[in-house]
Every structure is written in structure tokens, then in C-alpha cells.
Amino acid sequence: MEHFSIRPAHRGDREQLISLRLALWPDCGIEEQTRELDLLLAGKGYGPAPFVILVAEDARGGIAGFIDAGLRSHADGCDPEIPVGYVEGWYVVPGERRRRLGARLMAAAEQWARNQGCREMASDTWLDNVSSQRAHEALGFEEVDRCVNYRKAL
């Protein structure tokens, strides 16, 4: 098994992160992913609340996964009186899954959230993404809600 270090992302990770983000969110085009990632790497994004992008890097500089985490004023099922750490995105390349790399990324994001004063971490995933649901549950997350979101143009 390859040794990976978990560290904050930097601008030099841009191209690898764009590729991983496109794998996680294939419906978002490269232009949108590039624009958002450039803002995040410049310290601007997800509003005024603190956030972090952590990466799992191998000894050769390859990135096998990432987690985006931020603070939110509230999240379903969490104490509404204090901010909550929130997983905005979490991805590990298929060849490195089931080797605890995702757990290490999550643990680092949870520590970051604790350092921000949080007592809870929240996340979400798609209703049909059973593997993500199982990964969350394996790390101690509890399901608090299921919903279908709607929109209507006016």
C-alpha cells in the first residue's frame, strides 16, 4: 500500500484537483470547476466562512483524493446554536478506495472543524450514491434526512 500524506491544497495542485473534481461532479463543466477551484485556492469561496481543501498526496506528488470542508451556520440534524463543519466534497480515486485513505481525509477535516470551534460535522450525498452513504456510515455519520429538491424558474 502506498504511503500518503494529508495536507492543505495549494495552487500547484490545481490541475490534479480539477481532474478529481470533474470525476466527483461530472455534470459540472471544466470551466465551472476551474473557476470555482481558482477562487478556493485564492482563499475566496463558499462565502465568508472559513474553509479548507485537504489532499492525499503520494511520495511522487500524485494526488489520490481530496476533501473540501467549510463552516456552515446550520445543517439538518445538527445543533442550530453553533456553526457546524460541513463536507462540501470528498473523493478518492477508485484504485485507492477501501484502504482508509478517505477515512484519513475525513479525520483531517474533522480536526480542522474542531479547531474552528465545531462540535459536529455534517455532509450530504445523492440518494442513489449508495457507496458514499456506506462510506459516511462507516465513519460514524448518522442519516438525518432524505429529500428531493425542486426549483422553478420565474
Side-chain angles (χ1 to χ4, degrees), residues 5-10 13 17 20-21 41 51-57 63-69 89-91 104-113 121:
S5 60
I6 307 297
R7 63 164 177 78
H10 55 70
D13 301 324
L17 279 170
L20 295 177
R21 292 167 72 87
L41 291 173
F51 70 92
V52 67
I53 303 172
L54 300 168
V55 297
E57 179 183 49
I63 296 175
F66 76 93
I67 192 165
D68 288 6
W90 180 35
Y91 183 79
R104 290 181 57 210
L105 283 163
M106 185 65 73
E110 290 170 353
Q111 186 57 53
W112 174 85
M121 195 79 172

mmCIF file of all heavy atoms in Angstrom, residues 5-10 13 17 20-21 41 51-57 63-69 89-91 104-113 121:
data_model
loop_
_atom_site.group_PDB
_atom_site.id
_atom_site.type_symbol
_atom_site.label_atom_id
_atom_site.label_comp_id
_atom_site.label_asym_id
_atom_site.label_seq_id
_atom_site.Cartn_x
_atom_site.Cartn_y
_atom_site.Cartn_z
ATOM 1 N N SER A 5 0.476 11.385 2.401
ATOM 2 C CA SER A 5 0.405 12.428 3.426
ATOM 3 C C SER A 5 -0.844 13.259 3.155
ATOM 4 O O SER A 5 -1.238 13.445 2.003
ATOM 5 C CB SER A 5 1.666 13.296 3.410
ATOM 6 O OG SER A 5 1.825 13.924 2.164
ATOM 7 N N ILE A 6 -1.452 13.725 4.222
ATOM 8 C CA ILE A 6 -2.628 14.586 4.114
ATOM 9 C C ILE A 6 -2.158 15.999 4.406
ATOM 10 O O ILE A 6 -1.521 16.245 5.429
ATOM 11 C CB ILE A 6 -3.729 14.169 5.122
ATOM 12 C CG1 ILE A 6 -4.058 12.676 5.001
ATOM 13 C CG2 ILE A 6 -4.965 15.053 4.947
ATOM 14 C CD1 ILE A 6 -4.621 12.239 3.675
ATOM 15 N N ARG A 7 -2.458 16.907 3.507
ATOM 16 C CA ARG A 7 -2.001 18.291 3.658
ATOM 17 C C ARG A 7 -2.991 19.241 3.002
ATOM 18 O O ARG A 7 -3.789 18.830 2.154
ATOM 19 C CB ARG A 7 -0.620 18.469 3.050
ATOM 20 C CG ARG A 7 -0.603 18.204 1.552
ATOM 21 C CD ARG A 7 0.647 18.743 0.894
ATOM 22 N NE ARG A 7 0.707 18.441 -0.518
ATOM 23 C CZ ARG A 7 0.034 19.084 -1.469
ATOM 24 N NH1 ARG A 7 -0.777 20.086 -1.163
ATOM 25 N NH2 ARG A 7 0.156 18.756 -2.750
ATOM 26 N N PRO A 8 -2.920 20.538 3.366
ATOM 27 C CA PRO A 8 -3.759 21.530 2.683
ATOM 28 C C PRO A 8 -3.348 21.661 1.216
ATOM 29 O O PRO A 8 -2.160 21.562 0.877
ATOM 30 C CB PRO A 8 -3.479 22.832 3.438
ATOM 31 C CG PRO A 8 -2.953 22.397 4.773
ATOM 32 C CD PRO A 8 -2.196 21.121 4.511
ATOM 33 N N ALA A 9 -4.315 21.871 0.374
ATOM 34 C CA ALA A 9 -4.048 22.064 -1.054
ATOM 35 C C ALA A 9 -3.372 23.414 -1.281
ATOM 36 O O ALA A 9 -3.535 24.348 -0.498
ATOM 37 C CB ALA A 9 -5.354 22.007 -1.839
ATOM 38 N N HIS A 10 -2.618 23.494 -2.372
ATOM 39 C CA HIS A 10 -2.016 24.763 -2.792
ATOM 40 C C HIS A 10 -2.188 24.903 -4.303
ATOM 41 O O HIS A 10 -2.642 23.976 -4.984
ATOM 42 C CB HIS A 10 -0.555 24.868 -2.360
ATOM 43 C CG HIS A 10 0.304 23.723 -2.818
ATOM 44 N ND1 HIS A 10 0.655 23.502 -4.133
ATOM 45 C CD2 HIS A 10 0.882 22.726 -2.104
ATOM 46 C CE1 HIS A 10 1.415 22.444 -4.232
ATOM 47 N NE2 HIS A 10 1.569 21.933 -3.010
ATOM 48 N N ASP A 13 -1.460 22.282 -6.985
ATOM 49 C CA ASP A 13 -2.333 21.107 -7.089
ATOM 50 C C ASP A 13 -3.474 21.315 -8.086
ATOM 51 O O ASP A 13 -4.276 20.407 -8.315
ATOM 52 C CB ASP A 13 -2.954 20.785 -5.723
ATOM 53 C CG ASP A 13 -1.919 20.498 -4.668
ATOM 54 O OD1 ASP A 13 -0.886 19.887 -4.992
ATOM 55 O OD2 ASP A 13 -2.152 20.887 -3.497
ATOM 56 N N LEU A 17 -6.370 18.584 -9.041
ATOM 57 C CA LEU A 17 -7.648 18.777 -8.359
ATOM 58 C C LEU A 17 -8.795 18.972 -9.346
ATOM 59 O O LEU A 17 -9.897 18.469 -9.116
ATOM 60 C CB LEU A 17 -7.575 19.960 -7.393
ATOM 61 C CG LEU A 17 -6.943 19.647 -6.046
ATOM 62 C CD1 LEU A 17 -6.704 20.932 -5.259
ATOM 63 C CD2 LEU A 17 -7.817 18.690 -5.258
ATOM 64 N N LEU A 20 -9.814 15.540 -10.442
ATOM 65 C CA LEU A 20 -10.547 14.813 -9.396
ATOM 66 C C LEU A 20 -11.940 15.396 -9.185
ATOM 67 O O LEU A 20 -12.910 14.660 -8.980
ATOM 68 C CB LEU A 20 -9.760 14.828 -8.089
ATOM 69 C CG LEU A 20 -8.422 14.087 -8.102
ATOM 70 C CD1 LEU A 20 -7.718 14.257 -6.759
ATOM 71 C CD2 LEU A 20 -8.592 12.625 -8.445
ATOM 72 N N ARG A 21 -12.046 16.709 -9.229
ATOM 73 C CA ARG A 21 -13.352 17.353 -9.052
ATOM 74 C C ARG A 21 -14.299 17.010 -10.208
ATOM 75 O O ARG A 21 -15.491 16.817 -10.005
ATOM 76 C CB ARG A 21 -13.180 18.863 -8.895
ATOM 77 C CG ARG A 21 -12.481 19.240 -7.585
ATOM 78 C CD ARG A 21 -12.039 20.686 -7.572
ATOM 79 N NE ARG A 21 -13.180 21.569 -7.456
ATOM 80 C CZ ARG A 21 -13.723 21.955 -6.303
ATOM 81 N NH1 ARG A 21 -13.217 21.531 -5.162
ATOM 82 N NH2 ARG A 21 -14.759 22.772 -6.286
ATOM 83 N N LEU A 41 -8.653 28.208 -4.157
ATOM 84 C CA LEU A 41 -7.212 28.213 -3.921
ATOM 85 C C LEU A 41 -6.679 29.611 -3.620
ATOM 86 O O LEU A 41 -5.627 29.753 -2.999
ATOM 87 C CB LEU A 41 -6.479 27.594 -5.116
ATOM 88 C CG LEU A 41 -6.686 26.093 -5.297
ATOM 89 C CD1 LEU A 41 -6.061 25.621 -6.603
ATOM 90 C CD2 LEU A 41 -6.140 25.304 -4.108
ATOM 91 N N PHE A 51 -12.893 27.794 5.234
ATOM 92 C CA PHE A 51 -12.963 26.517 4.529
ATOM 93 C C PHE A 51 -11.549 26.000 4.337
ATOM 94 O O PHE A 51 -10.574 26.730 4.513
ATOM 95 C CB PHE A 51 -13.668 26.660 3.178
ATOM 96 C CG PHE A 51 -12.855 27.426 2.180
ATOM 97 C CD1 PHE A 51 -12.001 26.771 1.300
ATOM 98 C CD2 PHE A 51 -12.911 28.806 2.145
ATOM 99 C CE1 PHE A 51 -11.227 27.491 0.409
ATOM 100 C CE2 PHE A 51 -12.145 29.523 1.254
ATOM 101 C CZ PHE A 51 -11.293 28.862 0.385
ATOM 102 N N VAL A 52 -11.454 24.740 3.979
ATOM 103 C CA VAL A 52 -10.153 24.127 3.714
ATOM 104 C C VAL A 52 -10.330 23.085 2.616
ATOM 105 O O VAL A 52 -11.385 22.463 2.506
ATOM 106 C CB VAL A 52 -9.566 23.484 4.996
ATOM 107 C CG1 VAL A 52 -10.397 22.292 5.452
ATOM 108 C CG2 VAL A 52 -8.113 23.101 4.814
ATOM 109 N N ILE A 53 -9.306 22.943 1.792
ATOM 110 C CA ILE A 53 -9.221 21.821 0.858
ATOM 111 C C ILE A 53 -8.011 21.020 1.299
ATOM 112 O O ILE A 53 -6.897 21.553 1.386
ATOM 113 C CB ILE A 53 -9.017 22.270 -0.600
ATOM 114 C CG1 ILE A 53 -10.127 23.197 -1.065
ATOM 115 C CG2 ILE A 53 -8.910 21.046 -1.517
ATOM 116 C CD1 ILE A 53 -9.866 23.822 -2.432
ATOM 117 N N LEU A 54 -8.225 19.763 1.614
ATOM 118 C CA LEU A 54 -7.138 18.870 2.007
ATOM 119 C C LEU A 54 -6.952 17.830 0.917
ATOM 120 O O LEU A 54 -7.929 17.377 0.314
ATOM 121 C CB LEU A 54 -7.472 18.187 3.330
ATOM 122 C CG LEU A 54 -7.692 19.133 4.512
ATOM 123 C CD1 LEU A 54 -8.303 18.383 5.683
ATOM 124 C CD2 LEU A 54 -6.389 19.806 4.904
ATOM 125 N N VAL A 55 -5.702 17.447 0.664
ATOM 126 C CA VAL A 55 -5.405 16.455 -0.359
ATOM 127 C C VAL A 55 -4.602 15.308 0.243
ATOM 128 O O VAL A 55 -3.894 15.483 1.234
ATOM 129 C CB VAL A 55 -4.643 17.063 -1.563
ATOM 130 C CG1 VAL A 55 -5.480 18.120 -2.267
ATOM 131 C CG2 VAL A 55 -3.299 17.627 -1.139
ATOM 132 N N ALA A 56 -4.721 14.142 -0.393
ATOM 133 C CA ALA A 56 -3.903 12.977 -0.063
ATOM 134 C C ALA A 56 -2.858 12.857 -1.161
ATOM 135 O O ALA A 56 -3.196 12.605 -2.324
ATOM 136 C CB ALA A 56 -4.775 11.726 0.003
ATOM 137 N N GLU A 57 -1.608 13.072 -0.788
ATOM 138 C CA GLU A 57 -0.515 13.108 -1.766
ATOM 139 C C GLU A 57 0.428 11.937 -1.542
ATOM 140 O O GLU A 57 0.817 11.652 -0.407
ATOM 141 C CB GLU A 57 0.245 14.426 -1.625
ATOM 142 C CG GLU A 57 1.412 14.565 -2.566
ATOM 143 C CD GLU A 57 2.176 15.858 -2.350
ATOM 144 O OE1 GLU A 57 2.520 16.163 -1.187
ATOM 145 O OE2 GLU A 57 2.434 16.549 -3.339
ATOM 146 N N ILE A 63 -1.852 13.135 -6.452
ATOM 147 C CA ILE A 63 -2.957 13.324 -5.512
ATOM 148 C C ILE A 63 -4.014 12.259 -5.792
ATOM 149 O O ILE A 63 -4.517 12.152 -6.907
ATOM 150 C CB ILE A 63 -3.549 14.746 -5.637
ATOM 151 C CG1 ILE A 63 -2.490 15.762 -5.233
ATOM 152 C CG2 ILE A 63 -4.793 14.882 -4.757
ATOM 153 C CD1 ILE A 63 -2.914 17.194 -5.426
ATOM 154 N N ALA A 64 -4.323 11.481 -4.752
ATOM 155 C CA ALA A 64 -5.260 10.368 -4.896
ATOM 156 C C ALA A 64 -6.619 10.666 -4.288
ATOM 157 O O ALA A 64 -7.516 9.839 -4.366
ATOM 158 C CB ALA A 64 -4.677 9.110 -4.257
ATOM 159 N N GLY A 65 -6.777 11.833 -3.690
ATOM 160 C CA GLY A 65 -8.064 12.175 -3.113
ATOM 161 C C GLY A 65 -8.030 13.566 -2.515
ATOM 162 O O GLY A 65 -6.969 14.160 -2.331
ATOM 163 N N PHE A 66 -9.236 14.066 -2.243
ATOM 164 C CA PHE A 66 -9.352 15.384 -1.615
ATOM 165 C C PHE A 66 -10.626 15.437 -0.793
ATOM 166 O O PHE A 66 -11.538 14.633 -0.960
ATOM 167 C CB PHE A 66 -9.350 16.510 -2.666
ATOM 168 C CG PHE A 66 -10.645 16.646 -3.415
ATOM 169 C CD1 PHE A 66 -11.630 17.529 -2.979
ATOM 170 C CD2 PHE A 66 -10.893 15.893 -4.561
ATOM 171 C CE1 PHE A 66 -12.832 17.651 -3.674
ATOM 172 C CE2 PHE A 66 -12.080 16.011 -5.254
ATOM 173 C CZ PHE A 66 -13.055 16.893 -4.812
ATOM 174 N N ILE A 67 -10.663 16.426 0.076
ATOM 175 C CA ILE A 67 -11.885 16.748 0.809
ATOM 176 C C ILE A 67 -11.955 18.260 0.927
ATOM 177 O O ILE A 67 -10.955 18.906 1.231
ATOM 178 C CB ILE A 67 -11.941 16.044 2.187
ATOM 179 C CG1 ILE A 67 -13.337 16.141 2.808
ATOM 180 C CG2 ILE A 67 -10.858 16.546 3.127
ATOM 181 C CD1 ILE A 67 -13.557 15.181 3.969
ATOM 182 N N ASP A 68 -13.109 18.822 0.579
ATOM 183 C CA ASP A 68 -13.393 20.249 0.782
ATOM 184 C C ASP A 68 -14.287 20.330 2.012
ATOM 185 O O ASP A 68 -15.316 19.649 2.067
ATOM 186 C CB ASP A 68 -14.198 20.849 -0.375
ATOM 187 C CG ASP A 68 -13.424 21.021 -1.659
ATOM 188 O OD1 ASP A 68 -12.270 20.580 -1.741
ATOM 189 O OD2 ASP A 68 -13.993 21.591 -2.608
ATOM 190 N N ALA A 69 -13.908 21.143 2.971
ATOM 191 C CA ALA A 69 -14.740 21.310 4.168
ATOM 192 C C ALA A 69 -14.844 22.789 4.486
ATOM 193 O O ALA A 69 -13.915 23.555 4.240
ATOM 194 C CB ALA A 69 -14.150 20.551 5.353
ATOM 195 N N GLY A 89 -17.245 18.430 -0.443
ATOM 196 C CA GLY A 89 -16.858 17.466 -1.466
ATOM 197 C C GLY A 89 -15.830 16.518 -0.884
ATOM 198 O O GLY A 89 -14.994 16.922 -0.072
ATOM 199 N N TRP A 90 -15.886 15.231 -1.295
ATOM 200 C CA TRP A 90 -14.986 14.209 -0.755
ATOM 201 C C TRP A 90 -14.816 13.154 -1.827
ATOM 202 O O TRP A 90 -15.801 12.576 -2.292
ATOM 203 C CB TRP A 90 -15.621 13.645 0.493
ATOM 204 C CG TRP A 90 -14.920 12.579 1.253
ATOM 205 C CD1 TRP A 90 -13.580 12.423 1.432
ATOM 206 C CD2 TRP A 90 -15.540 11.529 1.990
ATOM 207 N NE1 TRP A 90 -13.333 11.341 2.230
ATOM 208 C CE2 TRP A 90 -14.527 10.772 2.590
ATOM 209 C CE3 TRP A 90 -16.871 11.149 2.204
ATOM 210 C CZ2 TRP A 90 -14.779 9.668 3.390
ATOM 211 C CZ3 TRP A 90 -17.123 10.055 2.998
ATOM 212 C CH2 TRP A 90 -16.091 9.329 3.587
ATOM 213 N N TYR A 91 -13.585 12.927 -2.255
ATOM 214 C CA TYR A 91 -13.358 11.994 -3.355
ATOM 215 C C TYR A 91 -12.008 11.309 -3.200
ATOM 216 O O TYR A 91 -11.001 11.951 -2.872
ATOM 217 C CB TYR A 91 -13.392 12.736 -4.699
ATOM 218 C CG TYR A 91 -13.234 11.835 -5.891
ATOM 219 C CD1 TYR A 91 -14.314 11.092 -6.365
ATOM 220 C CD2 TYR A 91 -12.015 11.705 -6.535
ATOM 221 C CE1 TYR A 91 -14.172 10.246 -7.463
ATOM 222 C CE2 TYR A 91 -11.862 10.868 -7.628
ATOM 223 C CZ TYR A 91 -12.949 10.140 -8.074
ATOM 224 O OH TYR A 91 -12.815 9.303 -9.149
ATOM 225 N N ARG A 104 -8.846 8.880 6.431
ATOM 226 C CA ARG A 104 -7.783 9.808 6.856
ATOM 227 C C ARG A 104 -8.101 11.242 6.429
ATOM 228 O O ARG A 104 -7.881 12.186 7.177
ATOM 229 C CB ARG A 104 -6.437 9.361 6.298
ATOM 230 C CG ARG A 104 -5.931 8.079 6.968
ATOM 231 C CD ARG A 104 -4.587 7.641 6.450
ATOM 232 N NE ARG A 104 -3.608 8.704 6.626
ATOM 233 C CZ ARG A 104 -2.557 8.882 5.818
ATOM 234 N NH1 ARG A 104 -2.362 8.079 4.792
ATOM 235 N NH2 ARG A 104 -1.712 9.857 6.042
ATOM 236 N N LEU A 105 -8.629 11.397 5.214
ATOM 237 C CA LEU A 105 -9.039 12.733 4.768
ATOM 238 C C LEU A 105 -10.148 13.273 5.660
ATOM 239 O O LEU A 105 -10.110 14.434 6.079
ATOM 240 C CB LEU A 105 -9.508 12.691 3.308
ATOM 241 C CG LEU A 105 -8.428 12.613 2.246
ATOM 242 C CD1 LEU A 105 -9.013 12.169 0.916
ATOM 243 C CD2 LEU A 105 -7.721 13.954 2.111
ATOM 244 N N MET A 106 -11.137 12.428 5.969
ATOM 245 C CA MET A 106 -12.247 12.866 6.816
ATOM 246 C C MET A 106 -11.747 13.228 8.209
ATOM 247 O O MET A 106 -12.167 14.244 8.779
ATOM 248 C CB MET A 106 -13.321 11.779 6.898
ATOM 249 C CG MET A 106 -14.562 12.215 7.661
ATOM 250 S SD MET A 106 -15.486 13.559 6.861
ATOM 251 C CE MET A 106 -16.216 12.671 5.486
ATOM 252 N N ALA A 107 -10.852 12.418 8.776
ATOM 253 C CA ALA A 107 -10.322 12.709 10.114
ATOM 254 C C ALA A 107 -9.602 14.060 10.131
ATOM 255 O O ALA A 107 -9.730 14.832 11.089
ATOM 256 C CB ALA A 107 -9.384 11.590 10.566
ATOM 257 N N ALA A 108 -8.865 14.361 9.079
ATOM 258 C CA ALA A 108 -8.164 15.650 8.998
ATOM 259 C C ALA A 108 -9.167 16.801 8.893
ATOM 260 O O ALA A 108 -8.988 17.857 9.523
ATOM 261 C CB ALA A 108 -7.201 15.655 7.817
ATOM 262 N N ALA A 109 -10.235 16.605 8.123
ATOM 263 C CA ALA A 109 -11.271 17.642 8.007
ATOM 264 C C ALA A 109 -11.994 17.822 9.341
ATOM 265 O O ALA A 109 -12.309 18.953 9.731
ATOM 266 C CB ALA A 109 -12.265 17.281 6.904
ATOM 267 N N GLU A 110 -12.246 16.740 10.043
ATOM 268 C CA GLU A 110 -12.897 16.832 11.351
ATOM 269 C C GLU A 110 -12.012 17.584 12.349
ATOM 270 O O GLU A 110 -12.506 18.390 13.130
ATOM 271 C CB GLU A 110 -13.222 15.429 11.872
ATOM 272 C CG GLU A 110 -14.341 14.761 11.091
ATOM 273 C CD GLU A 110 -14.505 13.286 11.427
ATOM 274 O OE1 GLU A 110 -13.674 12.707 12.166
ATOM 275 O OE2 GLU A 110 -15.495 12.701 10.924
ATOM 276 N N GLN A 111 -10.706 17.331 12.303
ATOM 277 C CA GLN A 111 -9.803 18.058 13.195
ATOM 278 C C GLN A 111 -9.790 19.538 12.850
ATOM 279 O O GLN A 111 -9.790 20.393 13.737
ATOM 280 C CB GLN A 111 -8.388 17.487 13.135
ATOM 281 C CG GLN A 111 -7.447 18.115 14.149
ATOM 282 C CD GLN A 111 -7.963 17.971 15.573
ATOM 283 O OE1 GLN A 111 -8.270 16.876 16.024
ATOM 284 N NE2 GLN A 111 -8.069 19.082 16.297
ATOM 285 N N TRP A 112 -9.796 19.852 11.571
ATOM 286 C CA TRP A 112 -9.869 21.250 11.147
ATOM 287 C C TRP A 112 -11.141 21.893 11.713
ATOM 288 O O TRP A 112 -11.097 23.007 12.244
ATOM 289 C CB TRP A 112 -9.847 21.341 9.617
ATOM 290 C CG TRP A 112 -10.053 22.718 9.113
ATOM 291 C CD1 TRP A 112 -9.102 23.686 8.949
ATOM 292 C CD2 TRP A 112 -11.305 23.319 8.753
ATOM 293 N NE1 TRP A 112 -9.695 24.851 8.498
ATOM 294 C CE2 TRP A 112 -11.039 24.648 8.370
ATOM 295 C CE3 TRP A 112 -12.617 22.865 8.706
ATOM 296 C CZ2 TRP A 112 -12.038 25.520 7.949
ATOM 297 C CZ3 TRP A 112 -13.612 23.723 8.281
ATOM 298 C CH2 TRP A 112 -13.315 25.030 7.909
ATOM 299 N N ALA A 113 -12.282 21.193 11.614
ATOM 300 C CA ALA A 113 -13.550 21.725 12.116
ATOM 301 C C ALA A 113 -13.495 21.911 13.635
ATOM 302 O O ALA A 113 -13.973 22.923 14.156
ATOM 303 C CB ALA A 113 -14.711 20.806 11.723
ATOM 304 N N MET A 121 -19.920 17.525 12.613
ATOM 305 C CA MET A 121 -19.570 17.555 11.195
ATOM 306 C C MET A 121 -20.785 17.037 10.445
ATOM 307 O O MET A 121 -21.422 16.072 10.870
ATOM 308 C CB MET A 121 -18.368 16.637 10.943
ATOM 309 C CG MET A 121 -17.699 16.845 9.636
ATOM 310 S SD MET A 121 -16.632 18.302 9.734
ATOM 311 C CE MET A 121 -15.793 18.188 8.185
#
